[in-house]
């Protein structure tokens, strides 16, 4: 039994080190970057959480029925190992231990101010569960209960399965196997974090939306059916996930009823770019002819020409005539040099909230969400969105905290 405990303990340690910060999107580090000491690393999840809460509280104080959606950022809903480890480093003596939230606790002030979460690739991606969401949640709860019982007996088991073997004396085979094992572990860990967030959202009565980029119409149809089973409002397309094209045909679950709240939305259309249309007028007309229950759109055409109050009002009605909410997308974690707010001379580091360029998307920059000037700008953007008459906001590019965590490891 002792040898088994030592083995499982080593596996748990390995997994914690491996998954301390899941790889974010492939982005370059800032030039001459030197990671701070672990005790100087901020809790980025809490910083991001506070920004969302602050903006949402303002919006809902001004208009209680204003819709607040967040895109991805599942780690913000439930306390995970990274934040628990951060607390240990900040307080090695444990003087604040009794005041800390336990691992797995739900951040209720955060869930209180949001109305729903948008996730990418819940059904048409390598991370798809392949089972009903309720079953995935049930399986996770049961496994966590087993792990807790084993821990009480002194047995340490990793929170996700750790594949082992078969082994080979060929180094190339072993390297390939190690890479595949890492992919399996990362996938299982992403699913675990999603399950915790979805479970918390459901318990709080919040809505769950999905954006799916599927290989063909058959897969898209299956995604819609699975989403309906799981009480997820999906948007599935067979096109690249640029969200800049109108889908062909009629909306899935089309209905003529008025949509009075986010909880009554049966289908939706996220269209975050209008670049493919020759003019703003053409874009607005095309959107107004759609019968989706909710629109989530860029508040500007091609990032530069804002919609007017009259245009927003026109979009608030389906082509069938029934009213629907129109939600504006607002990026928290990134800025772009094509946006209306961009000023001449801006570059990475100037102003300071432009933390680093996004190597995947030229012209876009990772922002320091905690920077006072960026927070001030976000507040102004939100006020502007509300003044235009939008019914809600979707905070986009929310999960950039994962990139900052990768830059600033807690284990040196």
């Amino acid at each position: 039994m002792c040898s088994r405990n030592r083995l499982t303990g080593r596996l748990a340690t390995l997994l914690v080190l491996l998954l301390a910060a899941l790889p974010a999107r492939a982005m370059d580090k800032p030039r001459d970057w030197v990671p701070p000491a672990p005790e100087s690393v901020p809790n980025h999840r809490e910083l991001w959480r506070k920004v969302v809460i602050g903006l949402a509280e303002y919006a809902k104080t001004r208009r209680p029925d204003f819709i607040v959606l967040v895109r991805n950022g599942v780690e913000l809903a439930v306390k995970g190992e990274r934040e628990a480890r951060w607390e240990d480093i900040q307080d090695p003596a444990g003087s604040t231990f009794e005041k800390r939230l336990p691992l797995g606790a739900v951040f209720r002030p955060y869930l209180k101010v949001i109305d729903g979460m948008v996730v990418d690739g819940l059904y048409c991606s390598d991370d798809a569960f392949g089972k009903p969401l309720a079953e995935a949640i049930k399986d996770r709860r049961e496994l966590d209960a087993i792990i807790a019982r084993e821990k009480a007996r002194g047995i340490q088991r990793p929170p996700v399965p750790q594949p082992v073997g078969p082994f080979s004396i060929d180094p190339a085979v072993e390297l390939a196997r190690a890479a595949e094992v890492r992919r399996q572990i990362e996938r299982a860990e992403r699913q675990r974090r999603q399950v915790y967030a979805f479970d918390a959202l459901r318990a709080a009565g919040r809505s769950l939306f999905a954006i799916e980029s599927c290989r063909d119409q058959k897969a898209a149809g299956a995604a819609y059916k699975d989403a309906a089973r799981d009480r997820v409002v999906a948007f599935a397309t067979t096109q690249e996930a640029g969200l800049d094209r109108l889908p062909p045909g009629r909306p899935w679950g089309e209905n003529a009823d008025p949509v009075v709240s986010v909880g009554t939305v049966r289908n939706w259309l996220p269209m975050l770019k209008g670049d493919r249309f020759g003019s703003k007028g053409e874009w607005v007309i095309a959107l107004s002819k759609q019968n989706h229950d909710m629109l989530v759109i860029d508040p500007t055409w091609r990032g530069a020409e804002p919609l007017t109050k009259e245009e927003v009002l026109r979009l608030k009605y389906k082509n069938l005539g029934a009213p629907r909410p129109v939600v504006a997308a607002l990026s928290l974690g990134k800025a772009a040099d094509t946006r209306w707010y961009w000023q001449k001379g801006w570059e990475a580091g100037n102003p300071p909230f432009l933390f680093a360029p996004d190597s995947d998307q030229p012209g876009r920059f990772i922002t320091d969400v905690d920077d006072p000037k960026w927070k001030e700008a976000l507040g102004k953007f939100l006020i502007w969105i509300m003044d235009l008459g939008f019914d809600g906001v979707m905070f986009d590019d929310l999960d950039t905290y994962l990139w900052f965590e990768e830059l600033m490891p807690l284990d040196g």
Side-chain angles (χ1 to χ4, degrees):
M1 179 63 74
C2 292
S3 61
R4 181 189 174 192
N5 288 351
R6 286 195 297 270
L7 176 59
T8 54
R10 286 197 295 270
L11 288 175
T13 302
L14 173 63
L15 189 65
V16 169
L17 292 173
L18 183 63
L19 299 173
L22 282 176
R25 298 177 182 87
M27 300 174 189
D28 293 336
K29 295 180 181 180
R31 188 169 52 189
D32 302 324
W33 172 254
V34 178
E39 59 270 17
S40 299
V41 174
N43 182 351
H44 292 98
R45 299 183 191 188
E46 182 61 15
L47 296 178
W48 267 236
R49 214 178 273 125
K50 286 181 177 179
V51 171
V52 172
I53 291 173
L55 293 172
E57 286 182 340
Y58 164 79
K60 289 184 178 291
T61 298
R62 179 174 166 182
R63 182 179 162 184
D65 64 345
F66 194 75
I67 297 168
V68 176
L69 303 177
V70 292
R71 187 177 180 189
N72 297 316
V74 296
E75 292 86 359
L76 301 185
V78 177
K79 183 176 179 180
E81 287 80 4
R82 166 88 183 194
E83 288 188 275
R85 172 65 177 149
W86 181 87
E87 289 173 334
D88 288 340
I89 292 173
Q90 298 300 312
D91 179 28
S95 59
T96 64
F97 183 79
E98 292 184 354
K99 298 180 180 179
R100 301 178 194 172
L101 287 174
L103 184 66
V106 176
F107 290 103
R108 301 195 183 282
Y110 178 73
L111 290 186
K112 182 180 178 180
V113 299
I114 67 173
D115 297 284
M117 178 181 290
V118 178
V119 294
D120 291 82
L122 189 54
Y123 300 100
C124 290
S125 76
D126 292 338
D127 286 344
F129 290 106
K131 64 175 72 172
L133 183 54
E135 184 179 332
I137 292 173
K138 176 176 176 290
D139 290 347
R140 186 69 243 178
R141 287 176 178 173
E142 291 177 350
L143 180 56
D144 283 347
I146 293 172
I147 292 174
R149 289 195 296 269
E150 290 182 347
K151 184 177 181 181
R153 294 162 49 200
I155 302 172
Q156 299 294 326
R157 188 209 288 216
V160 298
Q162 172 71 60
V164 293
F167 302 102
S168 170
I169 61 173
D170 187 335
V173 173
E174 278 299 287
L175 287 173
R177 170 63 182 166
E180 177 57 27
V181 165
R182 180 179 174 84
R183 282 192 293 270
Q184 292 178 27
I185 294 174
E186 289 175 352
R187 176 178 181 270
E189 175 63 12
R190 283 191 295 270
Q191 290 179 334
R192 181 175 78 105
R193 297 182 185 188
Q194 284 185 329
V195 164
Y196 290 151
F198 300 162
D199 195 12
L201 285 163
R202 287 288 163 78
R206 301 300 181 253
S207 298
L208 185 58
F209 298 85
I211 297 175
E212 305 298 327
S213 180
C214 305
R215 63 181 182 273
D216 51 36
Q217 287 295 339
K218 182 178 179 181
Y224 277 121
K225 291 179 181 178
D226 289 346
R229 173 201 64 202
D230 294 337
R231 293 184 292 118
V232 174
V233 186
F235 171 78
T237 176
T238 58
Q239 302 161 343
E240 292 296 323
L243 302 180
D244 59 353
R245 299 172 182 169
L246 291 173
R250 306 168 78 91
W252 177 273
E254 181 182 38
N255 76 96
D257 297 336
V259 181
V260 296
S261 69
V262 69
T264 60
V265 171
R266 301 182 195 175
N267 55 71
W268 69 304
L269 172 62
M271 193 173 185
L272 305 187
K273 291 182 181 179
D275 299 20
R276 292 182 178 274
F277 293 86
S279 68
K280 184 177 67 167
E282 292 179 19
W283 183 45
V284 171
I285 291 172
L287 287 171
S288 68
K289 291 181 179 179
Q290 303 301 306
N291 279 326
H292 295 81
D293 281 358
M294 181 175 71
L295 300 181
V296 177
I297 62 173
D298 190 329
T300 65
W301 176 65
R302 294 188 174 178
E305 188 175 347
L307 295 174
T308 65
K309 289 184 179 180
E310 293 74 18
E311 289 165 336
V312 173
L313 179 60
R314 179 174 184 176
L315 297 178
K316 288 188 176 188
Y317 295 88
K318 307 177 192 179
N319 194 39
L320 290 167
R324 64 180 171 195
V326 181
V327 175
L330 173 59
S331 176
L332 263 64
K334 294 183 182 180
D337 61 9
T338 56
R339 309 301 294 182
W340 77 96
Y341 54 74
W342 194 264
Q343 297 181 26
K344 186 177 180 179
W346 280 13
E347 59 183 359
N350 178 35
F353 60 72
L354 298 177
F355 194 81
D358 181 350
S359 56
D360 286 344
Q361 297 176 299
R364 301 194 76 188
F365 297 80
I366 310 301
T367 59
D368 179 1
V369 170
D370 192 47
D371 184 279
K373 290 295 184 181
W374 183 240
K375 288 193 284 190
E376 179 184 352
L378 290 172
K380 291 179 178 178
F381 298 159
L382 180 59
I383 291 171
W384 171 67
I385 284 170
M386 297 190 74
D387 288 346
L388 281 177
F390 280 94
D391 300 297
V393 65
M394 181 186 76
F395 293 127
D396 204 357
D397 298 312
L398 187 62
D399 55 359
T400 50
Y401 57 83
L402 293 173
W403 181 79
F404 280 92
E405 289 178 358
E406 195 173 346
L407 276 181
M408 304 180 193
L410 294 179
D411 296 296

